[in-house]
Amino acid sequence: KYSTIVGMLLYLSSNTRPDITFAVHQCARYSHNPKQSHAKAVKRIIRYLKGTKDKGMTFSPTDEFSVDCFVDADFAGLWGVEYDQDPVSVKSRTGYIIMFMGCPLLWVSKLQTQIALSTMEAEYIALSTAMRELIAIREVLKEIRSLVFCTDDPLSNSPAYSMTAKTFVPCIAPSQVYEDNEACLKFATLPKMSPRTKHIAIPYHFFRSKVTNLEIKVLPIDTTNQLADQFTKGLREEDFVKARKRILGW
């Protein structure tokens, strides 16, 4: 029954309830061998859902045709909480949410496959993981823009006149990716690699060309305004409600 209920919660969290994503993912990790404490956690999630069953996801789109991202990481957040001899306990957690015109489009909370050696590395791996989704979404939007409005250049980032719609088609604004770690921000925007960070795998550097040509901007944000924070760790009630208000509208 535990795995069945968790499966239902995973479906719900990945489609309409980003507010339970972190909690459900934590419970899902113990589906193979749940304990009484995990069953209590699942029941608490269900009570929360029962108390908010009349709520939903409210979309309030902005006028800007853009795809933005909030990304965060929790460095070795399980250390000292779980069995400290288990390698999983030192893995960091990636969390991010991608917004399209100010509305939630995709959100993720998952453990990183690689063990990060520092907070900066954990944040950079999370940033790179989020970039994979963000870049793919931008390319899809470019194709849709081309097919719907019949523009000549599907990859153009400039406004184009559509003969079919008899109007100018809005361009896709540069995506803004918000990161609250200063070291990660500096590393993501530096033109050259640092010898001290050469141990970070090459796959995590692929997005830098998008940052260089200004198609994507990596910007600082205060931790209190970081929407991805709730996907990496449990928050205080007031912080959780504040983040939920900005994402779900209630």
Side-chain angles (χ1 to χ4, degrees), residues 2-96:
Y2 182 89
S3 58
T4 301
I5 295 173
V6 168
M8 295 177 180
L9 291 176
L10 282 170
Y11 177 80
L12 188 62
S13 68
S14 62
N15 286 278
T16 58
R17 294 300 296 263
D19 51 328
I20 64 171
T21 299
F22 169 74
V24 172
H25 188 273
Q26 281 290 75
C27 292
R29 294 179 52 235
Y30 302 97
S31 295
H32 64 289
N33 187 25
K35 301 291 193 299
Q36 188 66 32
S37 58
H38 307 134
K40 288 182 179 179
V42 169
K43 289 179 181 178
R44 182 172 182 178
I45 296 172
I46 294 174
R47 285 196 300 269
Y48 169 73
L49 291 173
K50 186 177 179 181
T52 57
K53 62 182 179 180
D54 58 333
K55 305 294 184 181
M57 187 178 290
T58 304
F59 294 108
S60 302
T62 61
D63 295 330
E64 189 172 17
F65 194 64
S66 65
V67 189
D68 301 321
C69 179
F70 294 82
V71 57
D72 196 19
D74 184 28
F75 174 59
L78 302 178
W79 175 258
V81 179
E82 299 184 355
Y83 180 52
D84 57 9
Q85 299 304 311
D86 185 355
V88 177
S89 69
V90 294
K91 286 188 175 181
S92 303
R93 178 174 290 274
T94 289
Y96 60 86

Side-chain angles (χ1 to χ4, degrees), residues 92 138 152 157 168 174 201 250:
S92 303
R138 285 186 60 87
D152 295 330
N157 286 323
F168 277 95
W250 51 274

Side-chain angles (χ1 to χ4, degrees), residues 88-207:
V88 177
S89 69
V90 294
K91 286 188 175 181
S92 303
R93 178 174 290 274
T94 289
Y96 60 86
I97 180 169
I98 297 177
M99 313 283 283
F100 176 53
M101 298 180 69
C103 300
L105 181 64
L106 175 69
W107 50 89
V108 170
S109 175
K110 63 180 180 181
L111 289 179
Q112 297 176 0
T113 55
Q114 177 178 328
I115 295 178
L117 303 181
S118 65
T119 301
M120 186 278 286
E121 185 175 343
E123 294 277 357
Y124 190 76
I125 292 174
L127 179 63
S128 178
T129 304
M131 287 288 194
R132 295 177 193 176
E133 299 285 355
L134 181 64
I135 292 171
I137 291 172
R138 285 186 60 87
E139 296 304 313
V140 170
L141 286 176
K142 289 177 183 178
E143 291 295 331
I144 293 175
R145 175 176 178 264
S146 171
L147 293 172
V148 173
F149 296 103
C150 300
T151 57
D152 295 330
D153 185 3
L155 300 181
S156 173
N157 286 323
S158 303
Y161 186 78
S162 170
M163 296 301 294
T164 305
K166 303 298 182 183
T167 186
F168 277 95
V169 183
C171 64
I172 302 174
S175 295
Q176 297 180 343
V177 179
Y178 296 99
E179 170 62 55
D180 59 4
N181 184 273
E182 282 294 330
C184 179
L185 276 167
K186 197 168 290 186
F187 185 46
T189 53
L190 280 176
K192 291 185 178 181
M193 298 291 110
S194 168
R196 293 184 179 181
T197 54
K198 64 181 180 182
H199 63 281
I200 300 178
I202 294 299
Y204 296 116
H205 295 317
F206 75 96
F207 67 88

